Amino acid sequence: MGFFDKLWGRKPKKEEIDEEKDALKKDALQEEEGLDANELEEVIEEQLDETVEELAPYMPKENIPTDELVTEEVVQNAIEPIEEHQTEKLEIVEDVLAEKEELEEEVQDEAIEEVQIEAVVAEAKEQKKEDLNKGLKKSSQSIFARITKAVAGKDIVDDEVLDDIEEALVACDISVDTVIKIIERLEARVAKDKYLSVKEVYVMLKEEIIEMLTENNTPDYTSFDIPITNGCPYIMLVVGVNGAGKTTTIGKLAHQFKKLGKKVIVGAADTFRAAAVEQLDEWAKLVDVPIIKQKTGADPAAVAYDSVQAGLAQGADVIIVDTAGRLHNKKHLMDELTKIKRVMKKVDSDFPHDVMLVVDGSTGQNALLQAKAFTKATEVTCIAVTKLDGTAKGGAVIAIADQFKVPIKYIGVGEGAEQLQVFNKKEYVDSLFSD
């Protein structure tokens, strides 16, 4: 008999079991002659129990007709759902493992990308510091030489040394008023500690200047991010005397804003100088931003208005408008700036968001005078100090930051577009007083 014939054939009926029992009795009688009736019955019962036990798996279950055939097809139909369920579970496991592997690869890629970004950021910071150190090199060397001369050969920092330090700071174009504040703070420190070396004096000077600027609410900037303007473009009006570097600063700012993914438009409202329009046009081409301009002698306020309207129509994020740069003591220049701001406010009362004054850092004390004149004549919200490279007058920035309630936002430490930096007082003081 085959396996399936034996396993899945018809279930045995009661008659067949009785026949099997009789056969067993007959066999037992033949094999066990000489047994009495009771012993014979026991032998038969034992063999019958063994037989029933062997046949038990094939006996019908409760509520199942005894004549029902359990065929291979029936069993297969019962097994198929189980196999399908197992297959589905296997597929789910495989999918989970595949997703896990894919996620691990993504995490690994993100980690690599993050490391690469950190490396780029670190390199950019290092380059920025290098540019700042290089741009302030002459100022730093001048201050270091003067402070070294004032302290050299001295055993203690006394009044004479403080006087020499004061002269050294004034000679570096830090204004007298600001120098007096620094010396007063220095005297308070010296009263508690006697600093003997040039290095110790330098550390003390840096700490006191940074603390002084902090108390004056001089902000630190870390990026070229623009302020939130509630869905409107950020509008900056740029003012300053001719030659201060207004147009160049606008071009560099446009470059930095564009690097951040901002759409930038520049407006050439310095219509009294053909060279100013041409220079801004060249910068616009160089950094690939649109420029709004008119012919020489056109109304500057009209150009400013057109620039704002063009920026709104084109969905610009930033609009930077150049203005005339005649001498800061001319009243009609200030009237002109007032008119420009007035026509901008007709479009939106918040326009412009910033009025930035650009001063030439290489002029030293004159930069301070320019800042005083402009802040008295018109509202100035931020300052850019340019041309700090190649000059020994970098101390003027400290005086401007100290004396005005207007933050220095940008500094120019080189001719390249990347060498316009946001102002950070600690970084600046560290570079200015590097040994």
Side-chain angles (χ1 to χ4, degrees):
M1 176 183 286
F3 175 76
F4 280 102
D5 291 333
K6 179 180 180 181
L7 182 61
W8 306 115
R10 180 171 53 81
K11 294 183 177 63
K13 296 181 180 180
K14 187 175 183 303
E15 298 83 3
E16 293 175 331
I17 295 176
D18 292 338
E19 292 176 1
E20 182 68 19
K21 184 176 179 180
D22 292 339
L24 289 171
K25 288 180 178 180
K26 186 181 291 184
D27 290 341
L29 289 172
Q30 292 175 353
E31 294 178 3
E32 305 293 340
E33 292 181 0
L35 297 177
D36 60 27
N38 290 334
E39 290 175 337
L40 180 60
E41 185 67 26
E42 289 178 2
V43 171
I44 292 173
E45 288 297 331
E46 288 178 1
Q47 292 186 359
L48 182 60
D49 290 340
E50 291 176 1
T51 303
V52 171
E53 186 177 350
E54 290 178 2
L55 294 175
Y58 315 112
M59 294 296 288
K61 301 295 182 180
E62 187 176 354
N63 299 326
I64 298 178
T66 57
D67 58 348
E68 181 181 342
L69 292 178
V70 182
T71 63
E72 183 176 0
E73 180 180 359
V74 172
V75 175
Q76 188 63 30
N77 290 337
I79 291 177
E80 280 181 358
I82 299 175
E83 292 179 338
E84 289 175 0
H85 179 65
Q86 291 176 335
T87 302
E88 290 175 1
K89 288 175 64 177
L90 182 59
E91 290 175 351
I92 292 173
V93 171
E94 290 176 347
D95 290 342
V96 170
L97 291 176
E99 290 177 4
K100 179 183 177 184
E101 184 177 353
E102 183 178 349
L103 182 60
E104 289 175 346
E105 290 178 356
E106 290 179 1
V107 170
Q108 186 176 7
D109 291 342
E110 288 177 1
I112 294 173
E113 184 178 356
E114 186 175 347
V115 170
Q116 292 173 340
I117 291 174
E118 289 176 354
V120 171
V121 171
E123 184 178 352
K125 287 183 178 179
E126 185 176 343
Q127 183 62 51
K128 177 186 175 183
K129 183 62 175 175
E130 183 179 333
D131 288 343
L132 185 59
N133 289 341
K134 185 177 180 181
L136 297 179
K137 185 176 181 179
K138 287 188 177 181
S139 296
S140 177
Q141 288 177 337
S142 175
I143 292 176
F144 183 74
R146 293 175 186 276
I147 298 295
T148 300
K149 183 178 179 181
V151 178
K154 307 293 184 180
D155 295 328
I156 60 172
V157 181
D158 54 16
D159 289 342
E160 183 180 353
V161 172
L162 290 173
D163 288 341
D164 291 341
I165 292 175
E166 181 176 348
E167 291 179 9
L169 295 176
V170 171
C172 295
D173 280 86
I174 301 177
S175 70
V176 174
D177 291 341
T178 301
V179 169
I180 291 174
K181 292 181 183 179
I182 295 172
I183 295 301
E184 287 175 350
R185 301 177 73 96
L186 205 55
E187 285 177 331
R189 289 286 294 272
V190 170
K192 294 183 290 184
D193 303 296
K194 299 296 181 181
Y195 292 88
L196 304 178
S197 69
V198 175
K199 184 176 181 180
E200 289 171 324
V201 171
Y202 252 47
V203 170
M204 178 177 57
L205 275 173
K206 288 193 290 186
E207 290 174 350
E208 292 305 323
I209 291 173
I210 291 171
E211 183 63 26
M212 178 186 70
L213 297 180
T214 300
E215 292 173 0
N216 290 344
N217 296 319
T218 301
D220 286 326
Y221 297 95
T222 57
S223 72
F224 285 89
D225 290 337
I226 62 175
I228 298 174
T229 55
N230 298 322
C232 296
Y234 168 63
I235 299 179
M236 174 185 285
L237 190 62
V238 183
V239 302
V241 301
N242 289 333
K246 287 191 295 92
T247 307
T248 299
T249 300
I250 291 172
K252 292 179 179 180
L253 273 177
H255 168 72
Q256 294 292 347
F257 291 144
K258 190 177 178 184
K259 277 178 60 179
L260 294 176
K262 306 299 182 182
K263 185 173 183 180
V264 184
I265 288 180
V266 296
D270 186 358
T271 59
F272 293 97
R273 282 194 313 129
V277 178
E278 293 173 2
Q279 185 182 8
L280 189 59
D281 195 22
E282 287 299 317
W283 268 105
K285 292 176 181 177
L286 181 64
V287 300
D288 191 25
V289 298
I291 181 172
I292 307 300
K293 60 182 179 178
Q294 294 186 15
K295 62 182 180 179
T296 304
D299 182 4
V303 178
Y305 182 82
D306 289 347
S307 300
V308 172
Q309 292 291 357
L312 291 171
Q314 298 177 31
D317 300 303
V318 181
I319 303 171
I320 310 174
V321 180
D322 190 13
T323 65
R326 295 189 297 276
L327 293 176
H328 53 270
N329 57 2
K330 297 293 182 70
K331 181 179 182 300
H332 60 278
L333 172 62
M334 302 309 167
D335 292 340
E336 181 181 290
L337 293 175
T338 300
K339 181 181 178 182
I340 290 174
K341 288 193 288 185
R342 187 170 62 249
V343 300
M344 285 184 173
K345 289 184 180 298
K346 287 182 179 180
V347 181
D348 191 303
S349 60
D350 290 333
F351 294 169
H353 299 98
D354 271 323
V355 177
M356 184 175 72
L357 171 64
V358 179
V359 296
D360 182 352
S362 67
T363 61
Q365 291 296 312
N366 192 41
L368 196 63
L369 296 175
Q370 291 175 27
K372 285 182 179 179
F374 268 95
T375 53
K376 285 182 179 180
T378 188
E379 181 185 15
V380 174
T381 59
C382 60
I383 297 174
V385 184
T386 64
K387 305 181 183 182
L388 290 170
D389 55 308
T391 180
K393 300 181 178 181
V397 173
I398 295 176
I400 294 173
D402 170 53
Q403 294 190 28
F404 296 96
K405 301 301 180 183
V406 180
I408 295 177
K409 199 168 188 177
Y410 307 109
I411 54 174
V413 294
E415 295 181 359
E418 298 294 336
Q419 292 172 317
L420 180 71
Q421 299 186 0
V422 293
F423 180 71
N424 180 290
K425 56 181 176 288
K426 184 178 185 304
E427 292 177 357
Y428 188 87
V429 172
D430 280 341
S431 293
L432 188 63
F433 286 89
S434 61
D435 48 9

